[in-house]
Amino acid sequence: MEGASLHLHVLARIPETAQQAFLRWGLLRDSSNSTKLQHLQEWQEMYSPCFWMDAFALIHLIFIMSILVQFLYKRIRWCRQRFKTSTAESKHSYQEQKNTDKKLGITYQASKVCCLLNLASHTLKIVVLLLQGSISDCKYPAFVLGESVQVLSWIILSLVVFSFQKTKSAKLPFIIRAWWIFSFLQSITSVVFDLRSILLDHEYLGPEKWINLFMLVICTLLFVISARGKTGITLVDNSITEPLLSPSTGQQTEIKRPCPYGKANLLQLVTFSWMNPVFAIGYKKPLDKNDVPDVYGKDSAEFLSDSFKKIIDDVENRHGLNTKSIYTAMFLFIRRKAIMNAGFAVLSASASYVGPSLINDLVKYLGGERQYGLKRGYLLAVAFLSAKVVETVAQRQWIFGARQLGMRLRAALISHIYQKGLRLSCSSRQKHTSGEIINYMSVDVQRITDVIWYTNYIWMLPIQLSLAVYVLHQNLGVGAWAGLAATLAIMACNIPLTRMQKRLQAKIMAAKDGRMKSTTEVLRSMKILKLQAWDMQYLQKLEALRNEEYNWLWRSVRLSAVTTFIFWGAPAFISSITFGACILMGIPLTAGTVLSALATFRMLQDPIFTLPDLLSVFAQGKVSGDRVAKYLQEEELKYDAVIEIPRNDTEYDIEIDHGIFSWELETTSPTLKDVELKVKRGMKVAICGMVGSGKSSLLSSILGEMPKLAGTVRVSGSKAYVPQSAWILSGNIRDNILFGNPYDKEKYDKIIQACALTKDLELFANGDLTEIGERGINMSGGQKQRIQIARSVYEDADIYLFDDPFSAVDAHTGSQLFKDCLMGILKDKTILYVTHQVEFLPTADLILDGNIVQKGKFDELLQQNIGFEAIVGAHSQALESVINAESSSRVTSTENSKPADTDDEFEAENETDDQIQGITKQESAHDVSQDINEKGRLTQDEEREKGGIGKKVYWAYLRAVYGGALVPVTIAAQSFFQIFQVASNYWMAWASPPTSATRPTVGLGLMFAVYIALSIGSALCVFARSMLVSLIGLLTSEKFFKNMLHCIMRAPMSFFDSTPTGRILNRVKTDLASNDQSVLDLEIANKLGWCVFSVIQILGTIGVMSQVAWPVFAIFVPVTVVCFMCQRYYIPTARELARLSQIQRAPILHHFAESLTGASSIRAYGQKDRFRKSNLGLVDNHSRPWFHNISSMEWLSFRLNMLSNFVFAFSLTLLVSLPEGFINPSIAGLAVTYALNLNSQLASIIWNICNTENKMISVERILQYSRIPSEAPLVVDYRRPPNNWPLDGNINIRCLEVRYAEHLPSVLRNISCTIPGRKKVGIVGRTGSGKSTLIQALFRIVEPREGTIEIDNIDICRIGLHDLRGRLSIIPQDPTMFEGTVRGNLDPVNEYSDQRIWEILDKCQLGDIVRQSPKKLDSTVVENGENWSVGQRQLFCLGRVLLKRSNVLILDEATASVDSSTDAIIQETIRDEFRDCTVLTIAHRIHTVIDSDLILVFSEGRIIEYDTPLKLLENENSEFSRLIKEYSRRSKGF
């Protein structure tokens, strides 16, 4: 009867509505049986509250004593130091304190208030005790003494906190943090005891309980502050002299960036607290690259590269170099760390199954099996918690270890791929385009490192399956085997899906390779595409390639959606099979066994889903591994091809005996045969010949670049090489000239003078520190060549190989270079120079005809009469035309003037010229702003947003497809999935009997049928959700890609001049590495989806838990707040680290692309080691933010998991402490099965939000490139020119001013002239005088800043770009060819017939060469047209304009790289074909413009002369006369 009254009393304490709900849900049992409630009174009091109060008072006394000891020690030490230190030092320290100000934050103010409130609360307790006479069951003196100690401790704590303001402490002392954490635990204990007394002793909430509750809130806040470890005081330096006395932070951090990971102790490694200093900086300000610490020594690229090289060399020595040996080397490289990781992974997998195995015991305990009392309950709770803690620590360690190992392997492979690129032979190089090799470095290496991550699942899968079967067997007996069979069946279903996915991945990779190859080529050749108005055709080509890729991607994501459906449907399917088998076999299903089985099935999701991923990643990894291994086995340049002879052992610097060389190894007609050559030390050897005669090939054979079929090549001394196509590195001019050598000002200035660069450097705003754009794009052809020559001269080598460097410079500059460099500074050096300019031949000691058909001195070769005279004859005719023009203009004045070709007069003219240029320089100096550093920069740093990802970015992504209409449908599908899933599990827990003896609530058939129906509903919802996410993701990705591609293709040329190709490729790439477009294609939609889905998941979990353990809310709310505080603390640092990591990827790819282009120069100068170190440095620059980014993820995950474990522990303690019969054990067991996943779910929310924000950086970066300002419209409908425009070709230029960028000085200044129609106009001037810029202005590649250009009375700035560029023709300075066929290069739009193309090839002198190829018009053109000589490439460009036949033709040094005889034929062809057209010719060879109708002379961006050649020659002081005079003087030997 007492029990019943007690039951009624307890029920009376609960609100009536809650009673009804509890009774309805089965949480309270409506029974009058007193035995079921007597346990409420028998709830064992393991410890009295009074005992705990005394214990707390004792611990507070220990804290007080510690503080007092610490205080006394500091005072004694301060007194000693005061006696020792001098007055000056004390003044200095006072000054330092004075210069430092403090800023008191909210945290500090809050800690002060909390301490005072705690002090007030304990004082209030004593006051209430004195007023009421009794407040507690404890003895009066003990209670007063305990509270007095508490009051004393809070007085001391308040004083200490107030003292922080005086001592300016930024960090909380350890003892204070410990004290506050202890106070928080004390408050929790007090509230738990209060709750117990309310439930057991029917007490009402008295003053003490309200005070305890209030103190819990205050102590929770102090606990959060102590967890952060900061007082909230920020120090601000007010010192004025400080910046003058010490270097800037940037400089200091650049010199020294200590690695906290390398110095971390065991506890810091486990908790990742070694990351705290990085977070401290990142939280205060956006991280800069210098704020990120260095990687640990064993993670540095140099250490890893050297280690991998030793291993691969050792394996090669033992087994030879093959694919298997490369895999062996990779395994040996990672094995030690991998074994350690495997240990952690196995431990994590094992610990994760402890929870499911104990659920049945917990349900039995809650159901009444309490023979061991509360101890058993607490032991169960400790076992649950210990397993979760072990799982958390092990999981975080293996995941971190796998990522770190992946980083190590990536660094080693990237460095090896790079080094291999510098050693590839010519035939190997032709097999792999630059785009493909860059793909090996980015895509394939990433896929290989993904395998490292998944390798751990190889050992985890069997352990997880074994443990799952064991747990099921313990609970369900033979029924476990049905569960195993269902699991294996689902795994088997996944295998064919994985194979399909693998095939699709191969297709995606192939499609992507094709698109990337074309994209790289288009970006590299953007200028020619714009000049020819082909940009839209190539855009369509790229879009077609992307559509092919998109089709494969769409199939792939649909297959992924099916896989996702299987993943989420697997637990329901397996549980249905297992429970069905148990019902058929008559195995009893109790609540405990069902819940344990459900928890196990949920754990099985991981191995089921991982297996196809594992197989897929291994398949992809195998494909990528084979590709990289095949590349690493490619043939290298044979270093024995050239024998190095010591200088003392021979008088010859170069010897070739019976040399046979060919670019193609299997050929019947080698490129060079029977080469016999001996070059004595100090000889000057000239190499001349027709286009394609093998001049450059001869130099390549001496460098060892060309495969040697027979004979010997001996070289004595160091080499310097100047290739025909200038190779310029991104960076400043000085770095390009020094090329890794130390700076010697005297030597440097002398070389600058000799290479005619002085005036150019004066014109640049930043001198020789002016930054060069990618591939020297902001330099003229002549400037690039002279920088190359200066680089070679500065190298101070023994042998110099010049491949026609004079073709890109004007006559005067060429003459100066030849005189001051070759015959001046290098007069004692051995020099081989290829040249088409016959005037440089007589001074040579030996002249070779390309294929060494003839050799000898100049006069000897003329007498031999075997073809050499054809070249000389063509030159003589050209010279004759110049001399005739010169003499006819000066007939009247010859008698009165002095000989014009004397050196003295020439020098005097040069001096006058210098004075004129000096005056112009002074005039232009007014335009130069003070900020020369910025003004000299063309390539700006990659743009990087700072701070949070704006809401606009998320909004733009979500609304991209159908205005965002599919997003709520997707969320609804996930919500219904969660509802069905929770309902099915709840139904099973509710319907199953607590024990086998208890009668079931419903029949087994109905129970099973309802469960199946709910499971099918959840599976269909998840399928709908996964399909919708895939659809939204891919459609959005496609829309963003097309927007970005259109913006890039329509961007002005200035964008490509200032943006390295690698930077654009990093965003356009669609590989499975972390490039932006790839992230959009495959990741963002899932990441964003999971941000919402994980919230829905945790709401379901909380809903289930709150049914039985509603007090969990009291702890869950503050823990959630702490979680979000952690997330807010983490996000600023992680976001900037992710941005830095992505930005630092592009320089690796850009440097690699540059190195591949200039590999022959790098080898010739012996600079492979320096470039290798640059590559390693760039890899480290990427590894630093990447490593700290993944570490920051683990830092957060560890803390979130631990906080979730804390909530789980609290829930378990509460459940086992509640009296028997107070709750339904089945529902309590269900709550625990959900709580087992609470830590992963809570971590998942924060993790998904953080990870999504990091990934959204890719959307942000793509949106940046979707907002590039566009060029002018391609077509202006209301201003279209007539179809026959330009008819006459009259060009009228008025007040034209052009600059390449707003922050750069004007290149053309106030240009005004009129070019009559159908006239030939020669444009001459020194290198860099603005000739090519005028042409760019004509095509509107650079828009005029001021002034107008009219062609046939139509202002070109008012019509569409395609209408303009499509009606003009140009042969550009840099001949460009595209990978493909001869026909495709001449007519990419397929406008002309084959017959017409053959006619044009014959006119260009290319017909015979193309006919020799078996493929004829389909003859192959490799990347950059490298299988054709530079001269042949220029002839192809001539072919394009002959096909197009415009009435305005521009020749921009079109014949610079061809010999004189070919040049004469080309000039004749142009004269015949374009006799009625306006032709503008920029030329360095004076004879090509001497027969022009008008001559336009440029100097420093201005027109200084414009008249007919005869008129200009009549004036002896004209610039044109001086150029003619120089040309005549240089060629006076003829």
Side-chain angles (χ1 to χ4, degrees), residues 1204-1265:
S1204 306
N1205 291 342
F1206 176 64
V1207 175
F1208 182 53
F1210 182 83
S1211 314
L1212 274 176
T1213 308
L1214 192 71
L1215 285 174
V1216 299
S1217 299
L1218 288 171
E1220 184 193 340
F1222 192 74
I1223 53 168
N1224 184 337
S1226 303
I1227 307 301
L1230 180 67
V1232 173
T1233 62
Y1234 271 86
L1236 279 171
N1237 292 322
L1238 183 68
N1239 68 335
S1240 60
Q1241 285 177 356
L1242 185 61
S1244 176
I1245 288 184
I1246 308 298
W1247 171 252
N1248 282 316
I1249 289 170
C1250 298
N1251 207 6
T1252 302
E1253 183 154 9
N1254 285 350
K1255 294 293 180 187
M1256 284 302 283
I1257 292 166
S1258 290
V1259 179
E1260 178 185 74
R1261 282 157 58 85
I1262 282 174
L1263 283 173
Q1264 281 173 355
Y1265 273 24

Side-chain angles (χ1 to χ4, degrees), residues 327 444 447 502 506 618-628:
Y327 281 127
D444 294 304
R447 286 181 158 182
K502 179 191 167 186
F618 266 79
Q620 289 174 14
K622 180 76 170 66
V623 171
S624 290
D626 289 348
R627 275 160 58 106
V628 170

Side-chain angles (χ1 to χ4, degrees), residues 873-1072:
H875 175 77
S876 300
Q877 285 170 14
L879 181 63
E880 194 177 331
S881 66
V882 173
I883 292 168
N884 288 342
E886 186 183 12
S887 57
S888 64
S889 70
R890 298 191 182 176
V891 168
T892 53
S893 57
T894 319
E895 295 167 7
N896 303 325
S897 60
K898 294 178 188 176
D901 56 354
T902 62
D903 287 349
D904 293 342
E905 185 187 19
F906 186 72
E907 292 302 324
E909 286 177 351
N910 270 350
E911 284 170 24
T912 316
D913 182 50
D914 291 347
Q915 288 167 9
I916 293 165
Q917 292 212 5
I919 294 161
T920 320
K921 175 72 185 82
Q922 286 169 4
E923 288 168 10
S924 67
H926 294 295
D927 302 330
V928 182
S929 70
Q930 291 301 310
D931 187 13
I932 60 167
N933 287 322
E934 275 310 303
K935 197 146 189 182
R937 282 192 84 177
L938 180 79
T939 307
Q940 302 299 326
D941 288 336
E942 183 163 6
E943 62 272 39
R944 166 189 161 203
E945 303 284 346
K946 293 195 175 181
I949 305 287
K951 289 186 181 69
K952 286 181 182 176
V953 177
Y954 289 97
W955 199 237
Y957 186 84
L958 291 171
R959 294 193 61 192
V961 177
Y962 305 125
L966 294 177
V967 174
V969 181
T970 311
I971 293 170
Q974 175 66 19
S975 302
F976 279 114
F977 161 69
Q978 191 65 33
I979 290 163
F980 281 132
Q981 200 183 43
V982 170
S984 63
N985 291 340
Y986 196 96
W987 166 259
M988 285 301 283
W990 179 83
S992 302
T995 61
S996 50
T998 314
R999 191 181 171 196
T1001 315
V1002 295
L1004 287 175
L1006 178 63
M1007 177 178 82
F1008 192 57
V1010 171
Y1011 180 71
I1012 291 278
L1014 291 169
S1015 299
I1016 289 169
S1018 70
L1020 289 173
C1021 286
V1022 81
F1023 182 67
R1025 185 260 289 169
S1026 57
M1027 283 302 288
L1028 281 167
V1029 169
S1030 298
L1031 178 69
I1032 293 169
L1034 204 53
L1035 287 174
T1036 307
S1037 152
E1038 187 65 5
K1039 187 173 179 180
F1040 274 49
F1041 176 82
K1042 287 198 169 162
N1043 286 348
M1044 176 174 67
L1045 188 62
H1046 275 260
C1047 275
I1048 289 172
M1049 293 298 285
R1050 290 285 293 111
M1053 202 60 218
S1054 57
F1055 169 75
F1056 299 97
D1057 291 350
S1058 59
T1059 309
T1061 307
R1063 196 180 290 176
I1064 303 171
L1065 288 178
N1066 209 23
R1067 305 194 192 205
V1068 179
K1069 271 198 175 181
T1070 320
D1071 54 40
L1072 298 183

